[in-house]
Amino acid sequence: MSASRGARRRKVRRRADMPLLGGARPPIAALLALLLAVAGTTALVLGDRDRSAIDTAVLTSQQHVAEDGALSLRASLDESITDLQRAAAVYAGSDPDAVLDKLGKVYNKWRGTAVIDPAGGTLLAARGENIPLATVLKGRTGKDGKDDDPLGPRLVKLPSGDTRMLVVAALPGAAAPRFLVASGTLNVPGISSGEDRSLLVVDSAGTVLASDGPSVARKAWAKTARKTAAADSAKTPEAGGHPGASGHLMGDKRGDVRTAVGYAAAGRLPGESSAAGTLGLSVITSVDVTEDPAVVRTQAFGLVAAGVLLVLALLVGWVLLRTVQRPLLQLYLESRRLARGELDRPVARFKGREAARTAAALESLRRQLLGGRPTRTGRARGGIGATATVLVCAVVLLAWAGPLLLLVNRAGSTVAVPQQLVDDQRRRTDTASDRVRKALNEGWADVASVAQTLAGGEAKEDAEKAVLDKTLREHGRYRAVYVIDGQGKILSRAGDSPRHPAGKPPRPDSVAQLNTSGKEPAVAAYAAVPGAKDRTVVGEYDPQFLISLVTRPGLGQVWLIDKGHRIIAADRGHGFRAFSKLPGGHLDDLAVTARNHTTKTSGTAILHRGDGSSDIAAAAPFTGGGAVKDLQWQVVSSQPTSWLELPEYSAQRRTMLAGLLGLTAAVACLGWLYIIVIRPLHALADRAEALAGGDRKTVLFPQHHDEVGAVVRNLELIRQRLRTSAERPTAGRN
């Protein structure tokens, strides 16, 4: 009984001495757990992917098309509203007929204009189509059902069924209040519809206000899309995203053809100022797509890869347990036995290099405790080191992860890209080109409006400077606004330093490119002051304004180029060097092709396949004339097909993800094991050999509460015993 109680006490003491946390067990256990998780993830994510439900890339593309249309619609309406409000302030105090005449000379976007007396409902002057005065005088209906402020934009349904946007602005400067009213058509945004694409503009109730393309009124998806778009238009958009809700959905199926639908609200971001963003408009686009039943088969590969990793995980775990953890535990037991004075049997031998060195040192210490002399003859160098073992385990795991990350399941450049994506790239590039053209023309119209304000004789310098400062403050598109004479001399200015060539006469009324080299492109709008031969207003566009016009998500890399194919602006995500060339020869060829097709109303797009890569490229020149007709600029875009959400690329990304997860697990856990265990194990062998060689002065401190730390503590106890035994004979002789 006493022997059994002693054995139990020894077992309890052994458990108390053993570390519970740290050491070799946690990284080995974590490595096994993570590798098993990676194996399961690999088997799950690498399943077969079919294309029968229309590629996600096609649906996402329709959403981006709708977002482009919504932004174009909102920008056009906001510009119209701002123009009328500014014109009302500029022409304050003028005769009603003179106001409308001046307005018509600068802007020709409205179908009808009028000046009315809101108090008596009297029409003072009118141009173009009749404006429903009753609607203007009634005002807008607020949320409480009462008439709201009559100023601002609103949508009006005419008896003919057409929808008009009425903009009402106060016309100050007269004895009695007057309103300047303009009526504009609510057009479908500038997206080329073609024979297969339908476009709708709906209000917050889902009522169709404008349409283009094939009729969709009776199709099953149309009502659902209108309800979804109308409901989402009331949601608050997320900061940094599209200024309004957007999404996509699947339409009805007819044989192997389904309808891909995208919708986007023409809203505004929180804190953003946009009068048109309060109208509750949404754009819906749809296109018929033929389904491809082909399947991307990766499930068998995923199961095999997961099985191989499972075998490797068990093998690596077994090797680490046998070569690292078990020797450490045995060294701990041997060192504890010697520290307690149990010297009756020799220290066991080990195969690993560090364990063999430490065991040989312990055997030498055992002999010294029995009365022997310090010696280094027990030094052992044989066997494979723990570092080599860890490196071999890492190589084995990297041999699994590396091919998945770099070689296996590569989509290549032969992936079947739906033609619809090529068409959408062309349409979206054409929309971007139209957006830039309209923005530059609108900028020229603003400058022409300022020139109209300065007409009628020599303006005082202070008053002229005030007009320029106000224009620069109200329009973020300019970096500088100034007035020059016939020889190019600056008469007054606001903003940054003018870049009009000194000593050169002003350009004719147009938008002109001022340089073809340098660090920053210079583009300016010129408008002569009526009645003044030697005075011209110049508005220089801010390069960041041009960059914002060509920055669109999901369009890839986008460049605005001049007639010499030099880059003027590029999207924010990729940057550019001013006046550099396009990055690919096929892009130059595409730009030449697009320019030669002058009779086309839309751009040109191709699927370009190169060495190991492919991209969808499109080019769209400016069309439609206006102040920019002499620029001959184009918008060019390139979308790498590897960025698309096609099944082949999804399988490639999932394969790479599995390889990356395996690589991360191996590096993290084996690195952890090396830092926490292997390096201290090297130091342990050195300390044990130094102690066996006669170093009795160096105190041994354990750095961690783990197996190595436990062996170091036992070595310190052995050192103290040896030092005490060495001091006793000396004390006896004294």
Side-chain angles (χ1 to χ4, degrees):
M1 292 293 292
S2 60
S4 63
R5 284 196 296 269
R8 284 197 296 270
R9 284 195 296 270
R10 286 194 298 272
K11 187 176 294 186
V12 169
R13 287 196 300 269
R14 178 183 299 178
R15 291 174 180 172
D17 291 341
M18 284 296 293
L20 298 178
L21 296 175
R25 285 174 291 182
I28 295 175
L31 178 63
L32 286 173
L34 289 177
L35 291 180
L36 292 177
V38 172
T41 302
T42 302
L44 289 176
V45 302
L46 290 182
D48 293 341
R49 297 294 188 274
D50 61 55
R51 310 176 69 143
S52 58
I54 300 182
D55 294 325
T56 304
V58 175
L59 287 171
T60 304
S61 180
Q62 306 319 306
Q63 178 179 341
H64 287 320
V65 170
E67 290 174 352
D68 288 351
L71 284 178
S72 178
L73 176 65
R74 195 196 74 168
S76 177
L77 297 180
D78 276 338
E79 191 66 36
S80 296
I81 295 167
T82 303
D83 288 343
L84 191 75
Q85 292 173 343
R86 183 173 58 254
V90 169
Y91 305 140
S94 301
D95 178 74
D97 286 305
V99 170
L100 299 185
D101 289 339
K102 292 180 181 179
L103 194 64
K105 291 180 180 179
V106 178
Y107 303 104
N108 56 2
K109 64 179 71 177
W110 290 295
R111 298 179 65 92
T113 54
V115 177
I116 64 173
D117 177 6
T122 305
L123 179 64
L124 303 179
R127 299 289 186 275
E129 72 175 11
N130 293 330
I131 293 179
L133 297 182
T135 304
V136 176
L137 297 174
K138 181 181 179 182
R140 295 174 294 176
T141 302
K143 295 181 179 180
D144 56 358
K146 298 180 181 180
D147 290 346
D148 204 349
D149 184 5
L151 301 178
R154 75 201 69 174
L155 299 175
V156 177
K157 196 81 170 181
L158 299 181
S160 62
D162 295 333
T163 302
R164 295 285 186 268
M165 185 184 75
L166 294 185
V167 184
V168 184
L171 193 61
R178 296 180 301 172
F179 285 169
L180 176 60
V181 186
S183 170
T185 304
L186 187 64
N187 294 320
V188 175
I191 304 173
S192 55
S193 58
E195 297 180 355
D196 60 340
R197 178 175 295 279
S198 297
L199 292 170
L200 300 176
V201 178
V202 301
D203 61 13
S204 56
T207 304
V208 178
L209 305 179
S211 63
D212 191 14
S215 176
V216 297
R218 296 182 180 180
K219 292 187 178 181
W221 65 263
K223 187 175 182 180
T224 302
R226 295 202 303 270
K227 287 183 177 180
T228 304
D232 287 353
S233 65
K235 295 181 180 179
T236 302
E238 297 182 0
H242 173 71
S246 64
H248 54 74
L249 50 90
M250 298 284 289
D252 50 327
K253 184 175 182 179
R254 302 181 306 281
D256 61 347
V257 176
R258 299 199 70 172
T259 304
V261 184
Y263 64 89
R268 58 182 182 178
L269 294 172
E272 187 179 25
S273 176
S274 171
T278 63
L279 297 176
L281 300 178
S282 297
V283 175
I284 303 174
T285 180
S286 67
V287 66
D288 290 338
V289 181
T290 302
E291 294 183 343
D292 182 0
V295 178
V296 178
R297 299 190 178 278
T298 55
Q299 187 169 8
F301 171 80
L303 293 175
V304 171
V308 171
L309 180 60
L310 183 61
V311 172
L312 293 179
L314 296 177
L315 177 62
V316 168
W318 179 81
V319 170
L320 293 177
L321 288 175
R322 289 293 302 270
T323 60
V324 177
Q325 181 176 334
R326 182 176 294 182
L328 275 175
L329 294 177
Q330 292 175 345
L331 284 175
Y332 161 72
L333 295 176
E334 294 289 350
S335 63
R336 189 191 63 173
R337 178 172 64 85
L338 298 183
R340 290 179 176 179
E342 300 175 8
L343 311 175
D344 52 335
R345 52 189 173 86
V347 176
R349 295 185 177 183
F350 296 86
K351 294 182 179 180
R353 181 180 301 171
E354 291 79 11
R357 290 173 55 195
T358 305
L362 288 175
E363 175 61 20
S364 176
L365 292 172
R366 185 184 73 86
R367 294 194 185 100
Q368 295 175 41
L369 289 172
L370 292 174
R373 297 177 60 81
T375 177
R376 293 181 181 273
T377 58
R379 193 176 182 86
R381 295 288 182 183
I384 299 176
T387 300
T389 301
V390 172
L391 287 177
V392 170
C393 292
V395 169
V396 170
L397 295 178
L398 292 181
W400 180 88
L404 268 66
L405 190 60
L406 302 173
L407 301 175
V408 182
N409 269 357
R410 300 298 94 177
S413 60
T414 60
V415 174
V417 179
Q419 180 61 34
Q420 186 59 51
L421 295 179
V422 181
D423 295 339
D424 289 343
Q425 187 80 9
R426 174 181 57 80
R427 287 187 173 95
R428 296 193 64 202
T429 305
D430 188 42
T431 301
S433 176
D434 187 64
R435 180 167 59 247
V436 177
R437 181 187 64 83
K438 287 182 177 178
L440 294 177
N441 279 336
E442 291 286 354
W444 177 86
D446 292 336
V447 174
S449 177
V450 174
Q452 288 278 351
T453 305
L454 302 180
E458 294 293 331
K460 292 183 179 180
E461 184 177 348
D462 292 342
E464 190 173 85
K465 182 67 165 54
V467 172
L468 299 180
D469 287 336
K470 182 179 180 182
T471 301
L472 186 66
R473 185 171 58 253
E474 291 179 348
H475 300 283
R477 59 166 59 98
Y478 304 116
R479 64 177 295 276
V481 183
Y482 48 92
V483 179
I484 59 177
D485 61 14
Q487 285 71 44
K489 179 182 178 181
I490 307 299
L491 302 179
S492 60
R493 71 180 180 92
D496 296 339
S497 300
R499 291 187 289 188
H500 175 83
K504 291 189 177 182
R507 307 288 182 91
D509 288 6
S510 62
V511 176
Q513 181 177 340
L514 303 183
N515 61 347
T516 56
S517 63
K519 295 182 178 180
E520 194 174 63
V523 184
Y526 289 81
V529 178
K533 295 181 180 180
D534 295 333
R535 297 174 67 219
T536 300
V537 180
V538 184
E540 287 188 13
Y541 293 98
D542 189 338
Q544 291 300 320
F545 169 69
L546 299 177
I547 292 173
S548 68
L549 292 176
V550 297
T551 300
R552 290 299 301 138
L555 196 54
Q557 297 175 274
V558 188
W559 303 274
L560 176 64
I561 62 173
D562 63 12
K563 62 182 180 181
H565 295 183
R566 294 175 290 262
I567 298 177
I568 301 299
D571 60 291
R572 289 194 180 96
H574 299 91
F576 73 104
R577 189 178 66 181
F579 306 110
S580 60
K581 292 294 184 179
L582 291 170
H586 68 289
L587 297 177
D588 275 309
D589 296 339
L590 188 64
V592 172
T593 302
R595 188 180 304 282
N596 291 336
H597 287 73
T598 55
T599 58
K600 298 183 67 175
T601 58
S602 59
T604 303
I606 60 169
L607 174 60
H608 174 261
R609 298 187 186 275
D611 296 334
S613 64
S614 60
D615 66 300
I616 305 174
F622 285 3
T623 58
V628 299
K629 62 182 179 181
D630 295 330
L631 285 179
Q632 301 181 35
W633 284 5
Q634 296 188 63
V635 172
V636 180
S637 66
S638 175
Q639 171 88 306
T641 56
S642 58
W643 297 3
L644 302 175
E645 298 180 65
L646 298 176
E648 293 87 349
Y649 292 113
S650 296
Q652 175 178 312
R653 287 189 285 267
R654 290 187 176 95
T655 303
M656 294 176 65
L657 174 63
L660 182 61
L661 291 176
L663 175 65
T664 303
V667 171
C669 294
L670 293 179
W672 178 12
L673 181 66
Y674 177 78
I675 294 173
I676 298 299
V677 177
I678 304 304
R679 286 203 306 183
L681 184 59
H682 288 303
L684 171 64
D686 294 337
R687 293 179 182 180
E689 289 179 341
L691 181 60
D695 183 5
R696 304 290 187 266
K697 297 181 179 180
T698 303
V699 180
L700 304 178
F701 294 101
Q703 295 182 348
H704 303 285
H705 185 65
D706 55 10
E707 295 93 339
V708 176
V711 176
V712 172
R713 285 196 300 271
N714 292 330
L715 287 176
E716 172 61 18
L717 294 176
I718 294 173
R719 185 191 70 82
Q720 294 175 6
R721 289 172 62 91
L722 289 172
R723 187 169 183 176
T724 301
S725 62
E727 291 174 351
R728 285 175 183 171
T730 304
R733 287 193 297 269
N734 292 336

